[in-house]
Amino acid sequence: MTRIVVLQARTNSSRLPGKVLLPISGIPLVVLAAKRAANTGLNVLVATSSECTDDALVETLVRHGIAWYRGSLNNTLQRIVDGLNSYPDDTVVFRLTADNIFPDGQLLDEMEIFLKENGLRYLTSSGPTTGLPYGVSAELFYLEDLRESAQLTQNTYDQEHVTPFIRRKYGDSCFDMNRELEMSHYRATIDGFDDYVAMSHVFKGVANPVDLPLLDLIGRLKAAPFQPLNKAAAKKLVLGTIQLGLNYGVSNKTGKPDQSTATSLIKMAISSGIPTLDTARAYGNSERVIGQALLGGWRSRVEIVTKLDPLEACPEDAGPETVAAFVNSSVFNSCTELGVDSIDVLMLHRAQHRSLWNSAAWQHLKRLAENGTIKALGVSVQTPSELASCLEDSSVTYIQLPFNILDWRWDELIPAIRRIKSVRRLVIHVRSAFLQGLLLSQDEKLWCRAGVGQPESIFKWLTVTGDLLEMRDTSELCLTYCLSQDWIDGVVVGVETELQLRSNLAIADGSLLSGAELEAIVENRPRVEVDVLNPATWNVLGAAK
């Protein structure tokens, strides 16, 4: 049976057409990728575009004796089909991309055996169940299925990404023979400059980069920069960024980080699998800090949740056009500072803005969501009544609320959250897991200012509970409690230092609490007044409003 490796070198969305000519160990990426794929005797064809911007690429392929085909920039699917015109329908096609230089012939051979032994029509080495790092990516399918795709689909997404039609028809079967590696949250691709730095580090000092076994490369990846700090992706952590834009929190002793430190923290969080950043117009220059940190290919790797300006300058009797102007200004400024054309998630910073001005602000935000300026809408709530109202509104897909191990206010609404999540999209993020750092402090003056005159019983309960559950400290107890809630999708935690981020990631790597353990905490926790749970009421300089 005929076999062919197609190395895809260009799509319409490529940010840098010539990046595959960058050298690793003195070899252009596209050449290294092609030779590694062919190192067990497979034939390789590089499929690139007929645009003049790819002339240098073709010249490089000619010099290295690598076969190539040029076709449509916009229809990558048709380009590959045309490039394989002389091959029979039963040809097994391996599809790789030229910026992923880890896959080798041995991996492809093993995948082909797996494909045939299991009677599959499609197979991929990508995904969390494979155990392989992101970028150790190959797809296998039969040429006749690819030809059918080109004939039947007119979908531009299908045409650019080549295999969606086949995957919809046959399913996403994963090659999981390396699942014990548990490294799917590592990164071995080259989308930006920092990726290139990391891959250069992996191949540094390698005498023969073409024939170095894949598993050896993966082992070297662990010491490369911009790789995870944790055993598993921290998918339930959300990096709060108010500390990156303001001096914030009663226990903040280091102050606001500078841009360099903030960038390092953001990249470290993303590299470790934190999927979401949380910010707001009201968080000082946090949005601008994020926008600068995500330059160079990082933006596509993370979701950003931001919040509308509090609109304090908008008159109470403002008409719809005036309110829309205030909303547009906030959204425009967020896009500008973040360096984006559209906002992933836009939340109201004040829940009452859903109804103020005869709902003009909320209605305008829904129009912006309809035209794609905003991808999802949400509300930041403060009270159970605000939460109950938002749960009834199907246009609210994200809700953020304050929650911590002492917080009893939401108990009656948790069943409603679970019920609604079962019938529609609803994402719940919680903030203030440490109650702005108060739970981590045994400074009686701070507790007194927060409304607790004799906090010794709380200190004792936190210590005893942590010891019983074998927690290292109170921060692990408080964060694990929030992470263990099945109705919570993300826990927003802010940091000022790398040490704090590493600590949070280590906690996220740990075991969750059981249902029985959570119930015991709720039954035995000290009861505090509602004002203690609301930092806006504290008599503490710098408390959030």
Side-chain angles (χ1 to χ4, degrees):
M1 184 177 292
T2 308
R3 306 185 302 165
I4 182 69
V5 177
V6 175
L7 200 64
Q8 181 181 306
R10 179 80 189 280
T11 66
N12 188 33
S13 61
S14 296
R15 287 186 291 273
L16 181 62
K19 72 173 180 178
V20 293
L21 297 179
L22 293 171
I24 291 284
S25 295
I27 305 173
L29 295 179
V30 65
V31 175
L32 181 56
K35 290 189 174 183
R36 284 187 58 80
N39 66 3
T40 60
L42 288 165
N43 292 323
V44 175
L45 175 74
V46 176
T48 190
S49 84
S50 55
E51 301 292 307
C52 63
T53 50
D54 286 329
D55 288 350
L57 169 60
V58 174
E59 292 173 4
T60 300
L61 296 173
V62 170
R63 285 199 306 272
H64 288 269
I66 298 171
W68 52 270
Y69 179 83
R70 305 186 76 169
S72 169
L73 173 65
N74 297 317
N75 191 338
T76 311
L77 170 59
Q78 190 63 53
R79 182 203 313 167
I80 293 176
V81 167
D82 292 344
L84 301 177
N85 186 55
S86 62
Y87 287 81
D89 276 349
D90 64 354
T91 298
V92 175
V93 180
F94 303 81
R95 175 178 173 262
L96 289 76
T97 57
D99 53 1
N100 294 338
I101 54 179
F102 271 41
D104 61 6
Q106 182 177 344
L107 171 68
L108 303 184
D109 289 343
E110 292 171 353
M111 291 180 67
E112 183 181 5
I113 293 171
F114 188 94
L115 179 86
K116 293 176 178 177
E117 286 183 346
N118 290 277
L120 303 174
R121 301 292 297 187
Y122 174 85
L123 184 65
T124 179
S125 63
S126 298
T129 62
T130 68
L132 294 169
Y134 177 76
V136 184
S137 177
E139 295 179 292
L140 270 69
F141 45 84
Y142 290 92
L143 182 53
E144 62 179 314
D145 295 326
L146 195 69
R147 286 171 172 159
E148 180 186 39
S149 302
Q151 290 173 355
L152 297 182
T153 187
Q154 298 298 318
N155 186 306
T156 55
Y157 182 85
D158 290 357
Q159 292 171 346
E160 177 173 353
H161 296 277
V162 183
T163 60
F165 184 94
I166 298 175
R167 290 155 56 196
R168 288 195 298 270
K169 183 174 181 178
Y170 295 109
D172 282 329
S173 298
C174 290
F175 178 70
D176 60 359
M177 302 302 289
N178 296 285
R179 57 186 176 276
E180 72 282 353
L181 291 175
E182 297 182 341
M183 289 182 62
S184 60
H185 59 309
Y186 281 72
R187 186 173 176 87
T189 189
I190 302 177
D191 284 337
F193 179 72
D194 288 337
D195 288 332
Y196 179 70
V197 170
M199 293 304 98
S200 296
H201 187 280
V202 170
F203 281 89
K204 184 178 180 180
V206 174
N208 188 358
V210 170
D211 292 325
L212 188 68
L214 171 63
L215 292 181
D216 287 2
L217 280 179
I218 291 175
R220 296 172 66 91
L221 184 63
K222 294 179 179 180
F226 308 112
Q227 299 301 324
L229 301 174
N230 42 345
K231 296 177 182 178
K235 295 181 179 179
K236 210 168 179 178
L237 284 183
V238 176
L239 183 66
T241 64
I242 187 171
Q243 286 95 333
L244 306 186
L246 295 169
N247 290 322
Y248 176 83
V250 297
S251 61
N252 184 340
K253 296 180 172 59
T254 61
K256 172 186 166 183
D258 59 24
Q259 179 68 56
S260 177
T261 301
T263 296
S264 177
L265 290 172
I266 290 171
K267 290 182 177 181
M268 188 180 298
I270 296 172
S271 297
S272 298
I274 291 180
T276 308
L277 306 180
D278 179 83
T279 185
R281 288 297 305 145
Y283 292 173
N285 69 336
S286 170
E287 289 181 325
R288 185 184 307 170
V289 169
I290 292 172
Q292 290 296 309
L294 297 182
L295 294 175
W298 289 82
R299 173 64 190 92
S300 62
R301 297 174 57 180
V302 70
E303 175 187 70
I304 301 175
V305 176
T306 192
K307 303 177 192 71
L308 192 72
D309 185 276
L311 303 183
E312 294 174 350
C314 186
E316 293 182 4
D317 59 351
E321 293 184 357
T322 300
V323 174
F326 273 91
V327 171
N328 285 339
S329 174
S330 177
V331 171
F332 173 80
N333 284 325
S334 287
C335 287
T336 300
E337 300 283 36
L338 292 170
V340 299
D341 297 323
S342 61
I343 295 175
D344 295 332
V345 182
L346 192 284
M347 287 188 173
L348 292 180
H349 211 144
R350 302 283 186 266
Q352 59 266 38
H353 287 168
R354 283 180 58 242
S355 57
L356 283 181
W357 307 293
N358 292 319
S359 298
W362 186 244
Q363 293 303 320
H364 188 64
L365 284 173
K366 290 201 286 188
R367 288 192 290 272
L368 293 178
E370 289 172 359
N371 69 25
T373 303
I374 299 168
K375 297 177 183 177
L377 288 173
V379 180
S380 176
V381 303
Q382 296 287 347
T383 66
S385 61
E386 291 178 348
L387 173 60
S389 177
C390 289
L391 290 175
E392 295 176 355
D393 187 347
S394 61
S395 63
V396 178
T397 55
Y398 278 71
I399 295 176
Q400 186 184 112
L401 55 93
F403 181 78
N404 62 75
I405 197 168
L406 295 181
D407 203 332
W408 48 265
R409 295 172 296 171
W410 316 100
D411 292 354
E412 293 183 0
L413 286 171
I414 293 174
I417 291 174
R418 291 192 179 108
R419 176 179 54 80
I420 293 171
K421 286 172 73 71
S422 71
V423 297
R424 72 171 176 89
R425 184 175 184 239
L426 177 64
V427 179
I428 302 292
H429 287 176
V430 301
R431 62 182 182 272
S432 203
F434 304 128
L435 198 52
Q436 288 196 19
L438 185 65
L439 294 174
L440 308 182
S441 172
Q442 292 198 0
D443 185 335
E444 293 189 9
K445 291 182 179 179
L446 288 179
W447 282 87
C448 182
R449 291 172 184 173
V452 180
Q454 295 181 325
E456 295 85 357
S457 62
I458 297 177
F459 299 163
K460 181 178 179 180
W461 179 80
L462 289 170
T463 300
V464 170
T465 302
D467 290 343
L468 287 173
L469 295 172
E470 299 182 346
M471 299 290 171
R472 291 189 300 272
D473 52 29
T474 301
S475 64
E476 183 175 14
L477 171 65
C478 292
L479 185 52
T480 302
Y481 177 78
C482 294
L483 291 170
S484 300
Q485 305 292 329
D486 62 1
W487 55 276
I488 292 175
D489 300 290
V491 181
V492 182
V493 185
V495 299
E496 300 107 32
T497 67
E498 179 181 327
L499 182 62
Q500 292 171 348
L501 178 56
R502 285 179 177 271
S503 175
N504 294 338
L505 290 169
I507 293 170
D509 250 349
S511 299
L512 298 179
L513 299 174
S514 68
E517 290 169 333
L518 292 173
E519 289 178 6
I521 288 174
V522 171
E523 290 175 0
N524 295 298
R525 66 187 172 194
R527 179 82 171 193
V528 296
E529 297 297 326
V530 66
D531 285 349
V532 176
L533 301 171
N534 181 8
T537 66
W538 296 354
N539 182 26
V540 179
L541 183 63
K545 295 182 178 180

